Structure formats: structure tokens, C-alpha cells
Amino acid sequence: MGGRSTGNFTVSGNLGRFRGEVVDVPSLQAPGFIKAQTQDAKAFPDISSCKAIVLSARAGVPYDGYRFQFGNKRGAFCSFFSSGFKTHFAAPVSDEIQRIVIPLGNFSDCNSDSTGEPSKLCSDDPRVCPDPKTLRNVKTIAVWGEGKAGTVDLDIKSIAATGCSSTQQQQQQQQQQQ
């Protein structure tokens, strides 16, 4: 639907660099999106006892369209293209890496295909909240620039779960060291 937005994701030193430009799709008269996504052949760590996702990141310029997504579950009757649990996050402009905490209760699997905005919120409808099966293995994670025109300039040092039970945190630390 237009395909005018452009972006890339590179690794430099110990940082993932998400760069690009989200522009309006002329036929929709609305901003498009860019996305950096990964999946792993081995299972991601179980985050079912955790409270939040934490990004260690910094933005080079202000941008209000950052979104984080995990999993690939499709919300029933919510969207045609969208899958997984997604939410908006604010990335502070800084020279230093910042800790950005995103509570799992902020995520929804019922999001607009055109804007990325949630059609239903987890706080209003528990059916759109992250489910235990997905939290046991998120399968895929993605960072988006979506629904807002502008420059994307985000450095990511790490992505982890936080607020986990102590047993689960020990298992995650062991997996990260492998």
C-alpha cells in the first residue's frame, strides 16, 4: 500500500541501530511503517512470570511512533494483517542508553492494521492480553516505526524481561550467558 517508508537495522559494536523514515502513503493519506524483526531457531526464554519488557535504548531524534511487538498470535476479529502483541513506547532522546520499561499489561493483540493503535486494550478486555502460551515462547520480536510520519533513529543495547520470579530470572541469566 504505497511502500514509501524506508528503514534498516544494522549492528555496530554492541548496539542495534534502527534507522529510517516513516512517510505518508499517498493513497491512504496516512503514515506507513518500518519494522525490524527477529526470530530464533531456539526458543526465547519463558517470560510467563514476568511483569514487563525492558529496552535499554536511546533515540537520536524525537519520534512518537515507536512500537514493540512479540509473538504471532492473531486476535480474533481484530485485524486482517496484524498479529502478535504490540504496544507503543516512548524512547527518550539522549546521548546515554536509557531503561524503557513496558508493562506486559500494555500489550494487545487487537491492533489497527492502518495505524498500529490498539482497537481493544488489555485493561478493558483480558482476551487481548498476552496469553501464557505466547509468554512461554514469544517466537519473534519486532520494533516498529508506525502510524506517525517522521525520522526513526533508535539505538538498542538490549531487550529483556523484568519483574520475573527469582527462579525465572536465574534461568534467563544462564541463557544469556550461553
Side-chain angles (χ1 to χ4, degrees):
M1 293 234 234
R4 302 256 171 114
S5 298
T6 58
N8 63 34
F9 188 89
T10 59
V11 176
S12 177
N14 65 347
L15 296 175
R17 297 177 163 248
F18 186 37
R19 303 286 190 270
E21 195 74 27
V22 177
V23 298
D24 284 349
V25 177
S27 62
L28 299 176
Q29 297 180 351
F33 69 89
I34 61 174
K35 173 172 80 164
Q37 181 173 341
T38 187
Q39 53 193 41
D40 203 333
K42 67 179 188 175
F44 281 90
D46 179 341
I47 62 169
S48 60
S49 77
C50 303
K51 303 287 185 227
I53 300 291
V54 62
L55 300 174
S56 295
R58 66 179 175 215
V61 297
Y63 179 67
D64 192 36
Y66 288 118
R67 301 189 194 295
F68 187 83
Q69 175 203 350
F70 64 86
N72 56 17
K73 182 181 177 220
R74 284 207 180 275
F77 310 109
C78 287
S79 63
F80 185 75
F81 297 106
S82 184
S83 65
F85 296 91
K86 190 188 301 184
T87 194
H88 174 270
F89 69 91
V93 175
S94 177
D95 291 333
E96 302 296 322
I97 297 294
Q98 304 293 310
R99 184 176 156 91
I100 303 165
V101 178
I102 311 169
L104 290 175
N106 289 8
F107 288 85
S108 173
D109 72 350
C110 191
N111 300 292
S112 166
D113 287 331
S114 58
T115 66
E117 291 294 326
S119 304
K120 295 179 184 175
L121 298 171
C122 178
S123 58
D124 297 331
D125 186 347
R127 296 175 297 176
V128 304
C129 297
D131 63 283
K133 181 180 178 186
T134 299
L135 293 173
R136 284 191 293 274
N137 178 10
V138 300
K139 295 186 180 176
T140 182
I141 59 173
V143 178
W144 296 65
E146 180 180 35
K148 304 283 183 185
T151 300
V152 171
D153 183 351
L154 184 69
D155 291 338
I156 303 170
K157 185 172 183 178
S158 66
I159 300 170
T162 190
C164 309
S165 70
S166 59
T167 303
Q168 197 152 18
Q169 282 181 328
Q170 290 170 352
Q171 290 170 346
Q172 285 182 343
Q173 287 171 351
Q174 289 170 351
Q175 285 182 332
Q176 287 175 350
Q177 292 170 355
Q178 295 174 354

